[in-house]
Amino acid sequence: MRLNSLRACCLLAAATVFAAAAGASDISGAGATFPYPVYAKWADAYKTLTGVGLNYQSIGSGGGIKQIKAKTVTFGASDAPLKEEELTAAGLVQFPMIIGGVVPVVNIKGVAAGQMTLDGATIAAIYLGEITSWNDSRIRKLNPKLNLPNAAIAPVYRADGSGTNFLFTDYLSKSSAEFKDKVGADKSVQWPAGIGAKGNEGVANMTTQTDGAIGYVEYAYAKQNKMTSVLLVNHDGKPVAPGAENFQAAAANADWAHSPAYDVVLTNQPGAASWPITGASFILVYRQPSDPDAVLGALKFFAWAYKDGGRMAADLDYVPVPPAVVALVKKTWVSSITANGKPVWSEK
Amino acid sequence: MAIIDPGHAARQLVYERIFRSATFCAAILVLVILGGVAVSLVRGAWPALQMFGPGFVIHEVWNPVTGKFGALGPMYGTIVTSAIAMLLAVPTGFGIALFLTELCPSWLKRPIGIAIELLAAVPSIIFGIWGLFVLAPVLQRHTQPWLIEHVGSLPFVGALFRGPPFGIGILTAGIVLAIMVLPFIAATMRDVFETVPAMLKESGYGLGATTWEVIWHVVVPHSRVGMVGGVMLGLGRALGETMAVTFVIGNAHRISASLLAPGSTISSAIANEFTEADGELYTSSLIALGLLLFLITFTVIALAQWMLRRLERQGRGGA
């Protein structure tokens, strides 16, 4: 009996060592939770195709940035772009990998999905606690045809630090000087009003079970749960509905070419079709990696995902990066990621 | 009697030494781990403590954007939710334990006992999800509107029950916590009541005491120390509970007079924000919150020990 368990232990230990050796060529990364489902799906397909696996720990953007700075992973992933100074200081380069959108959802008796129109300033006033009733004149002005009840508004926010929070507060800060001043944009902020729920599922649940609630969730979540989404008036003054083509429009209209560090937040971008709360999730790698082979392996995976991953992303309601931006990113790879003075990546 | 053999005795001595030092090491390990936790918490929290000083525990602001952090909101939430939980769970747990040991018909003893043990085995995330999806809507639609209408208009007490019925908030968190700590309190108290010698109780009955008198004059005084232990076990769990509370507390770093308003606890704030916290000051402030929880728990346990000591002395003095 004891001998058996001893033998089992030895076998297990041997198996662990063997597995670690087999996984040595795997790509390792850590960071943002928002793109995790699509990275996992890509990784699965890529493994069947090439035999190279991806070990991605979705520990949150903050953790991803810490891990890449500690050089324990080949790439980090962040939902919010790092500022150019921070990238330079750490010797990192970043590029957008996947795009998604945040959608405000409401729960008002008699209002169906796509019937209500709101704009950034109005939503900011709601979350500041200034607009407290659904029949407020500012909401009526945007929705002259809707019969709005005199019901209290219950704002629901994401309590856990998240890229969703960052995009939403960044959009509200761009739309309202008062919001920028009093609350600001970050992955967690101090909300002056409302109630905090944990995760997309928490916000969705609080919104659906509270009369008069307004919340915001990732697009995939709103779509799959058939939530009552609203139209938003975008930068060009056009009301738009949330959808893949509108997120892509925002990404395509952003001024990537003049932001060499890709520190572009895709909220409130110009263009008639642009959805105003769009965001990209970013990848971080070293400019002069200590292990160029590992970085090359990761870049090969990313190049494959840019080329062949679009349909898989769309299945999960994510939006691929527009081709023009992909071309820019590849130029950055060649110019910025080097080992011994030579670019690590080359388009074959 | 052939075991008197000098070689054997010497071997036994060696074994004994080895065994003694092994147990000693095991015991010391606890102290080392505890010390390590305290040291790393203080080190991690140092930047925040240096920046904010004592203001960290008296300020309500918690703003990652401006980098201003104060722990008063989460501390308040931690203490108030645990107090509500104790207020609900201690009398109920006491009742359950008394019923099971003194009054329960024997065929019902096992089912209730097993049910309590099962309740203790439910993972906290399940309580959180249940609280959010099942309990919160009921509170929101029925309990809270009634409280707001009937209790909210009273002077003094009324202030605790005002504002919109969100369903989740400090009160809901307190109720969920009460359910979570109930099995610990009930099971410990039951075990303590069962240790009361039958002879003492029967002497009471023999003197013509009623069940009520036996319970209050024999069982309870005999079990005081163990009862306090059970309550402290429950309180310890309530103070540190994370997942279930995070789901139902509403997660706002604010202090409101109303128990229906959203709040936050130390552990829920850490669970919510640690993964995405960037910047040294933010991370360090969250670790400082952990240090505060450590201190609060330490204080509670120290108080409990002191109370137990006093009770024991009283018990001896009375006997």
Side-chain angles (χ1 to χ4, degrees), chain B residues 135-177:
Chain B
L135 181 67
V138 173
L139 290 177
Q140 185 178 28
R141 278 183 215 127
H142 308 290
T143 319
Q144 293 188 347
W146 185 89
L147 280 174
I148 292 164
E149 196 181 333
H150 294 94
V151 189
S153 50
L154 301 175
F156 303 116
V157 196
L160 294 175
F161 300 100
R162 281 180 198 151
F166 278 122
I168 61 179
I170 298 262
L171 182 67
T172 315
I175 294 173
V176 170
L177 277 180

mmCIF file of all heavy atoms in Angstrom, chain B residues 135-177:
data_model
loop_
_atom_site.group_PDB
_atom_site.id
_atom_site.type_symbol
_atom_site.label_atom_id
_atom_site.label_comp_id
_atom_site.label_asym_id
_atom_site.label_seq_id
_atom_site.Cartn_x
_atom_site.Cartn_y
_atom_site.Cartn_z
ATOM 1 N N LEU B 135 -32.214 36.048 -2.605
ATOM 2 C CA LEU B 135 -32.573 36.840 -1.423
ATOM 3 C C LEU B 135 -32.782 38.315 -1.764
ATOM 4 O O LEU B 135 -33.775 38.923 -1.334
ATOM 5 C CB LEU B 135 -31.476 36.694 -0.355
ATOM 6 C CG LEU B 135 -31.725 37.444 0.949
ATOM 7 C CD1 LEU B 135 -32.916 36.844 1.682
ATOM 8 C CD2 LEU B 135 -30.497 37.412 1.838
ATOM 9 N N ALA B 136 -31.864 38.889 -2.559
ATOM 10 C CA ALA B 136 -31.944 40.324 -2.841
ATOM 11 C C ALA B 136 -33.280 40.727 -3.483
ATOM 12 O O ALA B 136 -33.893 41.704 -3.060
ATOM 13 C CB ALA B 136 -30.759 40.762 -3.699
ATOM 14 N N PRO B 137 -33.770 39.995 -4.515
ATOM 15 C CA PRO B 137 -35.055 40.397 -5.099
ATOM 16 C C PRO B 137 -36.200 40.347 -4.085
ATOM 17 O O PRO B 137 -37.082 41.217 -4.102
ATOM 18 C CB PRO B 137 -35.287 39.372 -6.213
ATOM 19 C CG PRO B 137 -33.947 38.847 -6.541
ATOM 20 C CD PRO B 137 -33.158 38.899 -5.267
ATOM 21 N N VAL B 138 -36.189 39.343 -3.193
ATOM 22 C CA VAL B 138 -37.255 39.248 -2.190
ATOM 23 C C VAL B 138 -37.191 40.448 -1.247
ATOM 24 O O VAL B 138 -38.197 41.110 -0.974
ATOM 25 C CB VAL B 138 -37.120 37.929 -1.388
ATOM 26 C CG1 VAL B 138 -38.113 37.898 -0.241
ATOM 27 C CG2 VAL B 138 -37.329 36.738 -2.310
ATOM 28 N N LEU B 139 -35.978 40.761 -0.780
ATOM 29 C CA LEU B 139 -35.807 41.908 0.110
ATOM 30 C C LEU B 139 -36.237 43.186 -0.602
ATOM 31 O O LEU B 139 -36.883 44.053 -0.022
ATOM 32 C CB LEU B 139 -34.349 42.036 0.544
ATOM 33 C CG LEU B 139 -33.829 40.967 1.500
ATOM 34 C CD1 LEU B 139 -32.354 41.196 1.784
ATOM 35 C CD2 LEU B 139 -34.607 40.993 2.795
ATOM 36 N N GLN B 140 -35.852 43.289 -1.899
ATOM 37 C CA GLN B 140 -36.119 44.510 -2.651
ATOM 38 C C GLN B 140 -37.611 44.731 -2.852
ATOM 39 O O GLN B 140 -38.108 45.844 -2.742
ATOM 40 C CB GLN B 140 -35.428 44.399 -4.005
ATOM 41 C CG GLN B 140 -35.527 45.651 -4.833
ATOM 42 C CD GLN B 140 -34.771 45.486 -6.144
ATOM 43 O OE1 GLN B 140 -34.635 44.365 -6.638
ATOM 44 N NE2 GLN B 140 -34.292 46.573 -6.680
ATOM 45 N N ARG B 141 -38.339 43.655 -3.139
ATOM 46 C CA ARG B 141 -39.760 43.809 -3.460
ATOM 47 C C ARG B 141 -40.650 43.815 -2.231
ATOM 48 O O ARG B 141 -41.683 44.468 -2.219
ATOM 49 C CB ARG B 141 -40.192 42.684 -4.398
ATOM 50 C CG ARG B 141 -39.806 43.044 -5.805
ATOM 51 C CD ARG B 141 -40.250 42.047 -6.819
ATOM 52 N NE ARG B 141 -39.199 41.998 -7.848
ATOM 53 C CZ ARG B 141 -38.612 40.894 -8.254
ATOM 54 N NH1 ARG B 141 -38.967 39.744 -7.758
ATOM 55 N NH2 ARG B 141 -37.688 40.939 -9.168
ATOM 56 N N HIS B 142 -40.287 43.055 -1.207
ATOM 57 C CA HIS B 142 -41.204 42.904 -0.079
ATOM 58 C C HIS B 142 -40.675 43.511 1.215
ATOM 59 O O HIS B 142 -41.292 44.398 1.777
ATOM 60 C CB HIS B 142 -41.539 41.424 0.117
ATOM 61 C CG HIS B 142 -42.016 40.778 -1.149
ATOM 62 N ND1 HIS B 142 -43.243 41.079 -1.706
ATOM 63 C CD2 HIS B 142 -41.428 39.909 -1.990
ATOM 64 C CE1 HIS B 142 -43.396 40.398 -2.840
ATOM 65 N NE2 HIS B 142 -42.294 39.677 -3.029
ATOM 66 N N THR B 143 -39.513 43.034 1.668
ATOM 67 C CA THR B 143 -39.051 43.437 2.996
ATOM 68 C C THR B 143 -38.680 44.914 3.069
ATOM 69 O O THR B 143 -39.132 45.636 3.952
ATOM 70 C CB THR B 143 -37.827 42.580 3.396
ATOM 71 O OG1 THR B 143 -38.076 41.249 2.992
ATOM 72 C CG2 THR B 143 -37.583 42.637 4.875
ATOM 73 N N GLN B 144 -37.825 45.342 2.106
ATOM 74 C CA GLN B 144 -37.306 46.708 2.220
ATOM 75 C C GLN B 144 -38.389 47.781 2.049
ATOM 76 O O GLN B 144 -38.401 48.746 2.823
ATOM 77 C CB GLN B 144 -36.144 46.907 1.252
ATOM 78 C CG GLN B 144 -34.935 46.055 1.666
ATOM 79 C CD GLN B 144 -33.697 46.349 0.868
ATOM 80 O OE1 GLN B 144 -33.758 47.007 -0.163
ATOM 81 N NE2 GLN B 144 -32.563 45.850 1.317
ATOM 82 N N PRO B 145 -39.329 47.657 1.075
ATOM 83 C CA PRO B 145 -40.389 48.668 0.999
ATOM 84 C C PRO B 145 -41.179 48.760 2.303
ATOM 85 O O PRO B 145 -41.534 49.855 2.755
ATOM 86 C CB PRO B 145 -41.274 48.167 -0.149
ATOM 87 C CG PRO B 145 -40.372 47.346 -0.981
ATOM 88 C CD PRO B 145 -39.400 46.710 -0.033
ATOM 89 N N TRP B 146 -41.431 47.592 2.941
ATOM 90 C CA TRP B 146 -42.168 47.591 4.201
ATOM 91 C C TRP B 146 -41.363 48.309 5.281
ATOM 92 O O TRP B 146 -41.888 49.135 6.016
ATOM 93 C CB TRP B 146 -42.450 46.140 4.622
ATOM 94 C CG TRP B 146 -43.312 46.044 5.851
ATOM 95 C CD1 TRP B 146 -44.674 46.007 5.898
ATOM 96 C CD2 TRP B 146 -42.853 46.002 7.203
ATOM 97 N NE1 TRP B 146 -45.096 45.954 7.194
ATOM 98 C CE2 TRP B 146 -44.007 45.948 8.025
ATOM 99 C CE3 TRP B 146 -41.598 46.009 7.810
ATOM 100 C CZ2 TRP B 146 -43.927 45.896 9.413
ATOM 101 C CZ3 TRP B 146 -41.524 45.970 9.198
ATOM 102 C CH2 TRP B 146 -42.672 45.908 9.987
ATOM 103 N N LEU B 147 -40.063 47.996 5.348
ATOM 104 C CA LEU B 147 -39.198 48.637 6.347
ATOM 105 C C LEU B 147 -39.178 50.145 6.145
ATOM 106 O O LEU B 147 -39.284 50.920 7.099
ATOM 107 C CB LEU B 147 -37.762 48.089 6.233
ATOM 108 C CG LEU B 147 -37.475 46.736 6.879
ATOM 109 C CD1 LEU B 147 -36.063 46.287 6.542
ATOM 110 C CD2 LEU B 147 -37.643 46.830 8.396
ATOM 111 N N ILE B 148 -39.044 50.567 4.870
ATOM 112 C CA ILE B 148 -38.946 51.989 4.582
ATOM 113 C C ILE B 148 -40.239 52.695 4.985
ATOM 114 O O ILE B 148 -40.231 53.756 5.602
ATOM 115 C CB ILE B 148 -38.644 52.210 3.082
ATOM 116 C CG1 ILE B 148 -37.234 51.706 2.767
ATOM 117 C CG2 ILE B 148 -38.787 53.677 2.697
ATOM 118 C CD1 ILE B 148 -36.968 51.503 1.296
ATOM 119 N N GLU B 149 -41.368 52.047 4.684
ATOM 120 C CA GLU B 149 -42.656 52.683 4.952
ATOM 121 C C GLU B 149 -42.973 52.736 6.438
ATOM 122 O O GLU B 149 -43.398 53.748 6.973
ATOM 123 C CB GLU B 149 -43.756 51.918 4.209
ATOM 124 C CG GLU B 149 -45.038 52.732 4.113
ATOM 125 C CD GLU B 149 -46.122 51.930 3.398
ATOM 126 O OE1 GLU B 149 -45.765 51.063 2.576
ATOM 127 O OE2 GLU B 149 -47.299 52.164 3.684
ATOM 128 N N HIS B 150 -42.744 51.611 7.139
ATOM 129 C CA HIS B 150 -43.198 51.537 8.528
ATOM 130 C C HIS B 150 -42.136 51.891 9.555
ATOM 131 O O HIS B 150 -42.441 52.494 10.570
ATOM 132 C CB HIS B 150 -43.753 50.138 8.815
ATOM 133 C CG HIS B 150 -44.994 49.853 8.046
ATOM 134 N ND1 HIS B 150 -44.970 49.214 6.829
ATOM 135 C CD2 HIS B 150 -46.285 50.170 8.277
ATOM 136 C CE1 HIS B 150 -46.202 49.130 6.364
ATOM 137 N NE2 HIS B 150 -47.020 49.700 7.217
ATOM 138 N N VAL B 151 -40.886 51.481 9.302
ATOM 139 C CA VAL B 151 -39.845 51.758 10.299
ATOM 140 C C VAL B 151 -39.126 53.065 9.956
ATOM 141 O O VAL B 151 -38.712 53.807 10.844
ATOM 142 C CB VAL B 151 -38.834 50.592 10.384
ATOM 143 C CG1 VAL B 151 -37.889 50.773 11.552
ATOM 144 C CG2 VAL B 151 -39.573 49.265 10.503
ATOM 145 N N GLY B 152 -39.009 53.347 8.656
ATOM 146 C CA GLY B 152 -38.257 54.519 8.212
ATOM 147 C C GLY B 152 -38.810 55.836 8.720
ATOM 148 O O GLY B 152 -38.095 56.833 8.779
ATOM 149 N N SER B 153 -40.098 55.857 9.093
ATOM 150 C CA SER B 153 -40.697 57.122 9.526
ATOM 151 C C SER B 153 -40.520 57.355 11.024
ATOM 152 O O SER B 153 -40.797 58.436 11.530
ATOM 153 C CB SER B 153 -42.186 57.131 9.163
ATOM 154 O OG SER B 153 -42.783 55.946 9.623
ATOM 155 N N LEU B 154 -40.057 56.335 11.742
ATOM 156 C CA LEU B 154 -39.866 56.498 13.186
ATOM 157 C C LEU B 154 -38.662 57.400 13.469
ATOM 158 O O LEU B 154 -37.731 57.469 12.666
ATOM 159 C CB LEU B 154 -39.623 55.135 13.848
ATOM 160 C CG LEU B 154 -40.717 54.080 13.696
ATOM 161 C CD1 LEU B 154 -40.263 52.762 14.311
ATOM 162 C CD2 LEU B 154 -42.004 54.547 14.365
ATOM 163 N N PRO B 155 -38.674 58.087 14.613
ATOM 164 C CA PRO B 155 -37.478 58.858 14.953
ATOM 165 C C PRO B 155 -36.330 57.912 15.342
ATOM 166 O O PRO B 155 -36.582 56.777 15.738
ATOM 167 C CB PRO B 155 -37.928 59.700 16.149
ATOM 168 C CG PRO B 155 -39.102 58.982 16.711
ATOM 169 C CD PRO B 155 -39.746 58.235 15.587
ATOM 170 N N PHE B 156 -35.104 58.385 15.254
ATOM 171 C CA PHE B 156 -33.872 57.643 15.592
ATOM 172 C C PHE B 156 -33.698 56.360 14.774
ATOM 173 O O PHE B 156 -32.893 56.315 13.856
ATOM 174 C CB PHE B 156 -33.810 57.333 17.090
ATOM 175 C CG PHE B 156 -33.906 58.572 17.936
ATOM 176 C CD1 PHE B 156 -34.975 58.778 18.794
ATOM 177 C CD2 PHE B 156 -32.934 59.568 17.830
ATOM 178 C CE1 PHE B 156 -35.066 59.937 19.545
ATOM 179 C CE2 PHE B 156 -33.025 60.721 18.586
ATOM 180 C CZ PHE B 156 -34.093 60.909 19.438
ATOM 181 N N VAL B 157 -34.448 55.303 15.103
ATOM 182 C CA VAL B 157 -34.289 54.027 14.406
ATOM 183 C C VAL B 157 -34.570 54.206 12.916
ATOM 184 O O VAL B 157 -33.965 53.546 12.073
ATOM 185 C CB VAL B 157 -35.266 52.966 14.968
ATOM 186 C CG1 VAL B 157 -34.836 51.586 14.531
ATOM 187 C CG2 VAL B 157 -35.370 53.080 16.462
ATOM 188 N N GLY B 158 -35.487 55.125 12.604
ATOM 189 C CA GLY B 158 -35.919 55.327 11.226
ATOM 190 C C GLY B 158 -34.778 55.615 10.285
ATOM 191 O O GLY B 158 -34.762 55.155 9.142
ATOM 192 N N ALA B 159 -33.784 56.366 10.762
ATOM 193 C CA ALA B 159 -32.656 56.746 9.902
ATOM 194 C C ALA B 159 -31.933 55.537 9.337
ATOM 195 O O ALA B 159 -31.303 55.606 8.292
ATOM 196 C CB ALA B 159 -31.687 57.610 10.697
ATOM 197 N N LEU B 160 -32.035 54.402 10.028
ATOM 198 C CA LEU B 160 -31.352 53.196 9.563
ATOM 199 C C LEU B 160 -32.059 52.561 8.373
ATOM 200 O O LEU B 160 -31.509 51.711 7.691
ATOM 201 C CB LEU B 160 -31.277 52.159 10.692
ATOM 202 C CG LEU B 160 -30.428 52.510 11.902
ATOM 203 C CD1 LEU B 160 -30.559 51.444 12.970
ATOM 204 C CD2 LEU B 160 -28.969 52.659 11.501
ATOM 205 N N PHE B 161 -33.320 52.940 8.149
ATOM 206 C CA PHE B 161 -34.103 52.259 7.113
ATOM 207 C C PHE B 161 -34.705 53.252 6.131
ATOM 208 O O PHE B 161 -35.903 53.259 5.900
ATOM 209 C CB PHE B 161 -35.193 51.397 7.757
ATOM 210 C CG PHE B 161 -34.645 50.338 8.664
ATOM 211 C CD1 PHE B 161 -34.642 50.521 10.043
ATOM 212 C CD2 PHE B 161 -34.094 49.181 8.144
ATOM 213 C CE1 PHE B 161 -34.114 49.555 10.885
ATOM 214 C CE2 PHE B 161 -33.567 48.214 8.979
ATOM 215 C CZ PHE B 161 -33.571 48.392 10.350
ATOM 216 N N ARG B 162 -33.880 54.140 5.605
ATOM 217 C CA ARG B 162 -34.377 55.086 4.622
ATOM 218 C C ARG B 162 -33.658 54.910 3.307
ATOM 219 O O ARG B 162 -32.652 54.214 3.228
ATOM 220 C CB ARG B 162 -34.207 56.516 5.136
ATOM 221 C CG ARG B 162 -35.306 56.861 6.121
ATOM 222 C CD ARG B 162 -35.189 58.264 6.674
ATOM 223 N NE ARG B 162 -36.002 58.325 7.890
ATOM 224 C CZ ARG B 162 -35.750 59.121 8.907
ATOM 225 N NH1 ARG B 162 -34.721 59.931 8.872
ATOM 226 N NH2 ARG B 162 -36.526 59.109 9.964
ATOM 227 N N GLY B 163 -34.189 55.555 2.260
ATOM 228 C CA GLY B 163 -33.546 55.488 0.950
ATOM 229 C C GLY B 163 -34.215 54.460 0.065
ATOM 230 O O GLY B 163 -35.102 53.726 0.499
ATOM 231 N N PRO B 164 -33.773 54.408 -1.197
ATOM 232 C CA PRO B 164 -34.416 53.505 -2.148
ATOM 233 C C PRO B 164 -34.112 52.041 -1.833
ATOM 234 O O PRO B 164 -33.051 51.724 -1.310
ATOM 235 C CB PRO B 164 -33.792 53.906 -3.491
ATOM 236 C CG PRO B 164 -32.499 54.542 -3.133
ATOM 237 C CD PRO B 164 -32.678 55.176 -1.793
ATOM 238 N N PRO B 165 -35.071 51.134 -2.108
ATOM 239 C CA PRO B 165 -34.826 49.705 -1.872
ATOM 240 C C PRO B 165 -34.031 49.078 -3.014
ATOM 241 O O PRO B 165 -34.579 48.701 -4.032
ATOM 242 C CB PRO B 165 -36.244 49.115 -1.816
ATOM 243 C CG PRO B 165 -37.074 50.044 -2.642
ATOM 244 C CD PRO B 165 -36.425 51.396 -2.624
ATOM 245 N N PHE B 166 -32.724 48.975 -2.852
ATOM 246 C CA PHE B 166 -31.886 48.389 -3.908
ATOM 247 C C PHE B 166 -31.910 46.857 -3.853
ATOM 248 O O PHE B 166 -31.578 46.197 -4.818
ATOM 249 C CB PHE B 166 -30.430 48.834 -3.738
ATOM 250 C CG PHE B 166 -30.137 50.189 -4.299
ATOM 251 C CD1 PHE B 166 -29.631 51.196 -3.497
ATOM 252 C CD2 PHE B 166 -30.357 50.450 -5.644
ATOM 253 C CE1 PHE B 166 -29.343 52.440 -4.026
ATOM 254 C CE2 PHE B 166 -30.071 51.698 -6.179
ATOM 255 C CZ PHE B 166 -29.561 52.695 -5.363
ATOM 256 N N GLY B 167 -32.240 46.317 -2.696
ATOM 257 C CA GLY B 167 -32.174 44.855 -2.550
ATOM 258 C C GLY B 167 -30.830 44.415 -2.004
ATOM 259 O O GLY B 167 -30.757 43.561 -1.136
ATOM 260 N N ILE B 168 -29.741 44.995 -2.527
ATOM 261 C CA ILE B 168 -28.442 44.664 -1.961
ATOM 262 C C ILE B 168 -27.946 45.857 -1.142
ATOM 263 O O ILE B 168 -28.410 46.970 -1.336
ATOM 264 C CB ILE B 168 -27.408 44.257 -3.041
ATOM 265 C CG1 ILE B 168 -27.164 45.378 -4.037
ATOM 266 C CG2 ILE B 168 -27.868 43.017 -3.769
ATOM 267 C CD1 ILE B 168 -26.137 45.007 -5.108
ATOM 268 N N GLY B 169 -27.044 45.616 -0.226
ATOM 269 C CA GLY B 169 -26.550 46.684 0.643
ATOM 270 C C GLY B 169 -26.047 46.090 1.946
ATOM 271 O O GLY B 169 -25.895 44.876 2.073
ATOM 272 N N ILE B 170 -25.784 46.971 2.913
ATOM 273 C CA ILE B 170 -25.224 46.547 4.202
ATOM 274 C C ILE B 170 -26.114 45.511 4.888
ATOM 275 O O ILE B 170 -25.637 44.487 5.375
ATOM 276 C CB ILE B 170 -25.050 47.789 5.122
ATOM 277 C CG1 ILE B 170 -24.068 48.772 4.511
ATOM 278 C CG2 ILE B 170 -24.697 47.369 6.533
ATOM 279 C CD1 ILE B 170 -22.677 48.697 5.036
ATOM 280 N N LEU B 171 -27.432 45.774 4.892
ATOM 281 C CA LEU B 171 -28.359 44.883 5.592
ATOM 282 C C LEU B 171 -28.355 43.490 4.964
ATOM 283 O O LEU B 171 -28.267 42.475 5.658
ATOM 284 C CB LEU B 171 -29.768 45.475 5.562
ATOM 285 C CG LEU B 171 -30.827 44.668 6.307
ATOM 286 C CD1 LEU B 171 -30.558 44.666 7.791
ATOM 287 C CD2 LEU B 171 -32.222 45.199 6.032
ATOM 288 N N THR B 172 -28.439 43.448 3.631
ATOM 289 C CA THR B 172 -28.447 42.158 2.934
ATOM 290 C C THR B 172 -27.167 41.389 3.234
ATOM 291 O O THR B 172 -27.201 40.176 3.485
ATOM 292 C CB THR B 172 -28.585 42.376 1.416
ATOM 293 O OG1 THR B 172 -29.607 43.336 1.204
ATOM 294 C CG2 THR B 172 -28.927 41.102 0.702
ATOM 295 N N ALA B 173 -26.038 42.101 3.208
ATOM 296 C CA ALA B 173 -24.761 41.446 3.501
ATOM 297 C C ALA B 173 -24.784 40.872 4.914
ATOM 298 O O ALA B 173 -24.327 39.747 5.155
ATOM 299 C CB ALA B 173 -23.612 42.436 3.340
ATOM 300 N N GLY B 174 -25.342 41.643 5.859
ATOM 301 C CA GLY B 174 -25.432 41.184 7.241
ATOM 302 C C GLY B 174 -26.274 39.919 7.350
ATOM 303 O O GLY B 174 -25.922 38.974 8.069
ATOM 304 N N ILE B 175 -27.389 39.882 6.606
ATOM 305 C CA ILE B 175 -28.274 38.713 6.671
ATOM 306 C C ILE B 175 -27.578 37.479 6.095
ATOM 307 O O ILE B 175 -27.607 36.394 6.682
ATOM 308 C CB ILE B 175 -29.593 39.000 5.914
ATOM 309 C CG1 ILE B 175 -30.374 40.110 6.634
ATOM 310 C CG2 ILE B 175 -30.446 37.749 5.806
ATOM 311 C CD1 ILE B 175 -31.596 40.590 5.889
ATOM 312 N N VAL B 176 -26.931 37.660 4.936
ATOM 313 C CA VAL B 176 -26.230 36.523 4.321
ATOM 314 C C VAL B 176 -25.125 36.015 5.251
ATOM 315 O O VAL B 176 -24.953 34.807 5.454
ATOM 316 C CB VAL B 176 -25.658 36.917 2.937
ATOM 317 C CG1 VAL B 176 -24.727 35.835 2.406
ATOM 318 C CG2 VAL B 176 -26.787 37.152 1.953
ATOM 319 N N LEU B 177 -24.392 36.958 5.856
ATOM 320 C CA LEU B 177 -23.342 36.570 6.804
ATOM 321 C C LEU B 177 -23.924 35.808 7.983
ATOM 322 O O LEU B 177 -23.353 34.822 8.444
ATOM 323 C CB LEU B 177 -22.611 37.812 7.319
ATOM 324 C CG LEU B 177 -21.503 38.377 6.452
ATOM 325 C CD1 LEU B 177 -20.896 39.593 7.115
ATOM 326 C CD2 LEU B 177 -20.432 37.324 6.228
#
